[in-house]
């Protein structure tokens, strides 16, 4: 871990002490505040964090992200205590569909397989055949029998991206990310005018017409890999701006420009250093998934963890 300008030594030592006391590991999503990323034992996208949660030896996982991520960790690590430092850190996209609505879709399309984006509740995962992240959604769908119809929930934009890449017939639920859809064509045109030689990296949660303006459509984990292996030195970043901290840290020789300063997820930013400390001190807020739901959701998650994305 590197010291951070907003993290003084006594604070870092305090967190290290608490982590030891609790036998805890801190996981942080790439959209977290810079100081939370710097404090984390592991930063990553949903797939990377899911894998890390499933293999850690720690007794306590402090999940710096949003609720569905902590639920995923709790499902994959039933013997561990999973803490979400702010209990109100949710995901509006995940809340756009519930289990009853998935059951209704299944009744309307009885032959279809259900693929749910990991950005969904445990109850929705329990109703699904497969889970996926933005890193492996294309591979998960490609692995399904070609003659089966597919229901994809809840993100219509990631779903459309998968349809475009695979040519598969899919029923898309009309959910969306309230942060990524704020990125507009105008934002991208303006950024390109300001930085004409920069490569536009965009997340597939962005909306459809705008995606045509991207040079690369990538999950956050894939963005980090792409930049690491690229000769280019200037990038326009069209996703939640938290990723720019990780990109700059890993690639000090390159320049990164947020496509818009608006691309900030208020839920991801709810986790602060104070809340992280309170979480370790008071063991709060414990995220639990009822065993019946967890075992059904686990099936879909296990299949997701098995399908690694093409690099
Ligand atoms: S960035 Fe979008 S999908 Fe991710 S947690 Fe925020 S609202 Fe949900």
């Amino acid at each position: 871990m590197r010291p951070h300008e907003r993290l003084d030594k006594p604070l870092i030592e305090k967190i290290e002490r608490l982590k030891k006391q609790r036998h805890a590991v801190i996981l942080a999503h790439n959209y977290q505040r810079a100081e939370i990323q710097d404090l984390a034992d592991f930063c990553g996208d949903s797939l990377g964090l899911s894998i890390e949660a499933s293999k850690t030896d720690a007794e306590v996982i402090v999940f710096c992200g949003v609720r569905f991520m902590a639920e995923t960790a709790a499902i994959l690590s039933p013997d561990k205590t999973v803490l979400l430092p702010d209990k109100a850190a949710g995901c509006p996209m995940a809340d756009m569909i519930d289990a009853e609505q998935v059951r209704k879709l299944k009744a309307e399309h009885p032959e279809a397989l259900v693929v749910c984006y990991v950005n969904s509740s445990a109850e929705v995962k329990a109703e699904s055949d497969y889970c996926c992240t933005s890193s492996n959604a294309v591979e998960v769908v490609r692995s399904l029998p070609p003659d089966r119809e597919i229901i994809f929930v809840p993100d219509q934009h990631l779903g459309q991206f998968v349809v475009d890449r695979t040519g598969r017939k899919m029923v898309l639920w009309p959910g969306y990310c309230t942060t990524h859809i704020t990125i507009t064509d105008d934002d991208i045109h303006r950024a390109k005018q300001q930085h004409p030689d920069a490569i536009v990296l965009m997340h597939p949660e962005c909306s459809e017409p705008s995606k045509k303006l991207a040079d690369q459509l990538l999950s956050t984990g894939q963005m980090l890999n792409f930049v690491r292996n690229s000769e280019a030195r200037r990038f326009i970043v069209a996703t939640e701006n938290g990723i720019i901290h990780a990109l700059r840290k890993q690639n000090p020789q390159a320049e990164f420009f947020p496509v818009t300063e608006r691309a900030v997820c208020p839920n991801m930013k709810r986790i602060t250093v104070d809340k992280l400390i309170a979480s370790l001190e008071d063991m709060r807020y414990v995220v639990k998934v009822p065993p019946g739901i967890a075992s059904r959701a686990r099936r879909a998650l296990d299949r997701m963890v098995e399908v690694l994305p093409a690099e």
Side-chain angles (χ1 to χ4, degrees):
M1 185 185 67
R2 286 186 343 175
H4 194 281
E5 56 189 353
R6 277 167 283 180
L7 295 174
D8 57 23
K9 207 165 162 239
L11 198 70
I12 293 171
E13 286 172 356
K14 181 176 182 176
I15 292 171
E16 288 300 321
R17 219 171 29 248
L18 282 165
K19 263 173 44 184
K20 271 205 193 90
Q21 267 171 24
R22 298 294 192 195
H23 301 283
V25 67
I26 300 174
L27 305 186
H29 190 269
N30 289 324
Y31 295 158
Q32 287 290 294
R33 293 171 187 271
E35 58 272 28
I36 297 290
Q37 293 187 35
D38 287 349
L39 283 168
D41 297 292
F42 185 83
C43 289
D45 61 7
S46 299
L47 181 63
L49 295 176
S50 304
I51 293 169
E52 202 60 31
S54 65
K55 67 179 194 201
T56 179
D57 293 332
E59 289 168 22
V60 174
I61 297 171
V62 186
F63 215 114
C64 299
V66 293
R67 175 162 295 274
F68 76 79
M69 297 178 177
E71 280 185 351
T72 302
I75 294 165
L76 292 173
S77 307
D79 302 332
K80 302 187 195 324
T81 302
V82 178
L83 303 175
L84 180 64
D86 185 318
K87 66 177 170 191
C91 168
M93 180 205 284
D95 294 339
M96 288 177 189
I97 189 163
D98 62 21
E100 186 50 42
Q101 288 167 312
V102 181
R103 284 194 287 273
K104 193 159 175 280
L105 276 173
K106 289 203 288 191
E108 287 164 7
H109 304 271
E111 299 301 318
L113 290 167
V114 180
V115 179
C116 72
Y117 189 21
V118 70
N119 299 28
S120 54
S121 67
E123 290 80 3
V124 165
K125 289 183 178 79
E127 292 296 333
S128 303
D129 298 297
Y130 291 79
C131 192
C132 70
T133 68
S134 49
S135 296
N136 67 2
V138 169
E139 282 77 17
V140 167
V141 167
R142 278 202 182 121
S143 75
L144 303 180
D147 55 330
R148 295 290 293 275
E149 192 181 20
I150 295 164
I151 295 169
F152 191 91
V153 300
D155 185 13
Q156 61 181 304
H157 299 298
L158 179 63
Q160 188 56 50
F161 167 74
V162 175
V163 169
D164 293 345
R165 290 281 162 107
T166 64
R168 294 294 299 261
K169 184 168 185 271
M170 292 180 17
V171 177
L172 305 182
W173 185 256
Y176 55 89
C177 166
T178 45
T179 297
H180 283 88
I181 61 141
T182 65
I183 297 172
T184 63
D185 290 12
D186 283 351
D187 292 327
I188 301 161
H189 288 308
R190 197 177 312 115
K192 280 182 156 184
Q193 263 168 12
Q194 285 168 0
H195 313 287
D197 56 341
I199 293 178
V200 179
L201 307 176
M202 185 179 268
H203 196 280
E205 282 176 21
C206 291
S207 52
E208 259 34 68
S210 306
K211 287 217 279 261
K212 299 228 174 342
L213 301 170
D215 294 309
Q216 296 288 332
L217 288 169
L218 303 166
S219 71
T220 57
Q222 289 168 336
M223 281 184 196
L224 287 160
N225 281 341
F226 179 84
V227 171
R228 200 176 300 127
N229 297 316
S230 172
E231 302 278 294
R233 288 287 175 268
R234 290 161 66 79
F235 301 89
I236 293 164
V237 181
T239 185
E240 211 279 353
N241 288 345
I243 185 69
I244 291 177
H245 178 67
L247 285 164
R248 286 186 178 143
K249 203 165 144 180
Q250 292 184 19
N251 305 280
Q253 77 292 353
E255 286 182 280
F256 300 94
F257 312 103
V259 74
T260 163
E261 297 294 342
R262 287 191 318 280
V264 173
C265 173
N267 281 283
M268 284 283 181
K269 301 303 194 248
R270 292 187 81 97
I271 313 289
T272 61
V273 175
D274 287 348
K275 288 180 193 171
L276 174 58
I277 291 172
S279 179
L280 280 163
E281 281 177 337
D282 303 333
M283 292 292 282
R284 70 185 193 200
Y285 295 91
V286 177
V287 173
K288 283 194 176 140
V289 178
I293 291 171
S295 65
R296 290 168 58 218
R298 168 107 204 197
R299 223 183 21 174
L301 280 166
D302 282 344
R303 289 170 178 160
M304 169 186 88
V305 173
E306 280 161 20
V307 182
L308 290 173
E311 295 296 338

